[in-house]
Amino acid sequence: MNEEEIVEKLQKLGLTKYESLAYITLLKLGPSKATDITKESGIPHTRVYDVLSSLHRKGFVDVMQGSPRLYKPVNPEVVLERIKEDFIEDVENLKVAFLELYREVHGEDLPEIWTIQGFENTVERAEYVIRTAKHEVLINTPFEFLQLLKSEIRARKDIVFVIISNFDEIPDWLKGNNIILARSGGAPWLMASWIIGDIDYALFFGALPKDKRREKFYSFWAKSPKIIQNYMHWFYTIYLDNSEIIKPLNYAAAPKPLSLVNIRTLITVLKYVELPRKIEVIGRLVDTKEPVTLDGEITEYEYTPLTANITVNAGGKEWKIGGIGSYFEDVEGEKFILLD
């Protein structure tokens, strides 16, 4: 890197041109008098003292008192490491400030929607969704793609999977107690792929490429609770409700407590167990948005393309509880913890 390029980069870090030249000159000369710096750098004599004082305030130069006064460059590794730490801290503080500004207006985190290019990158994102999920993963995809996720699915016995695919038979690695399987109805439009993790991440793409190494394969990645809540609704009403359940959750063998974040996943589990069931619900009152936690028993549920809710008897009262975005029910449920 030549000197002109170094000056340009130092200016990007907040130095003026003269400050950049003075610091470079001190690195060449070592501790020096102001007059020597002027001669070597070409900085006007009338400006050099102001330039060196500014560099001292910014932490690039130490002043060695004496007669004459000498100026010593601070180790560039020390200077640049400090600048890097300050920059990272400023970026993180700005990130928090920007998100707070967005939440004040919209009431949620800033949505992230990305286009992912390349089939291998798509596989990596799908693996990431499974690896980071805390409660449940919803998958609708051809079995050909599902097989690529085999190791990640086998490794997660602590979350619930709801998987829709064009199964001919059930392989051993999909027979876990925590897995619900459905056979797709077979219509081509049902074979678009969705991989949804909790309320945090969603991945979507269309038909699989014939050549999996092809770089011109695109998928879509979302991180937005409001958007993903819609994706979850579509997953159930468009895909699962048009498919055949071929393996329900082995509820008796599944570890308890069993924690879920989607009301339709909860009801899909409940369809194959007897009621009542003990549950803890964490959410908000629909009318006031106040946080609420209910401990009680599920006595019934309702499931239609438009409605999904459970009835919980808690504290001597019956509560209608829906999922995120509820407005007809008493409680907007954010987490459902089955206890027995």
Side-chain angles (χ1 to χ4, degrees), residues 77-116:
E77 288 187 4
V78 173
V79 173
L80 295 175
E81 188 62 31
R82 177 182 54 78
I83 290 173
K84 183 174 76 172
E85 290 175 359
D86 290 345
F87 182 79
I88 291 172
E89 183 179 356
D90 288 343
V91 168
E92 292 300 321
N93 289 338
L94 281 172
K95 188 190 299 182
V96 171
F98 290 156
L99 288 175
E100 286 177 354
L101 286 172
Y102 186 87
R103 288 193 195 103
E104 286 177 7
V105 177
H106 302 280
E108 65 165 38
D109 287 339
L110 185 68
E112 297 178 24
I113 303 175
W114 304 90
T115 300
I116 308 300

Side-chain angles (χ1 to χ4, degrees), residues 6 14 23 52 54 65 77 125 162 184 206 234 246 277 301:
I6 295 173
Y23 185 65
L52 292 169
S54 179
Q65 300 296 337
E77 288 187 4
R125 290 295 177 119
V162 182
S184 168
W234 297 336
I246 58 174
R277 289 287 165 179
Y301 57 81

Side-chain angles (χ1 to χ4, degrees), residues 1-13 15-17 20-21 24:
M1 187 183 301
N2 60 41
E3 190 169 306
E4 186 177 334
E5 291 173 324
I6 295 173
V7 168
E8 184 179 335
K9 292 188 181 299
L10 285 172
Q11 287 180 278
K12 288 181 179 179
L13 295 179
L15 300 190
T16 66
K17 183 177 180 180
S20 303
L21 289 171
I24 292 170

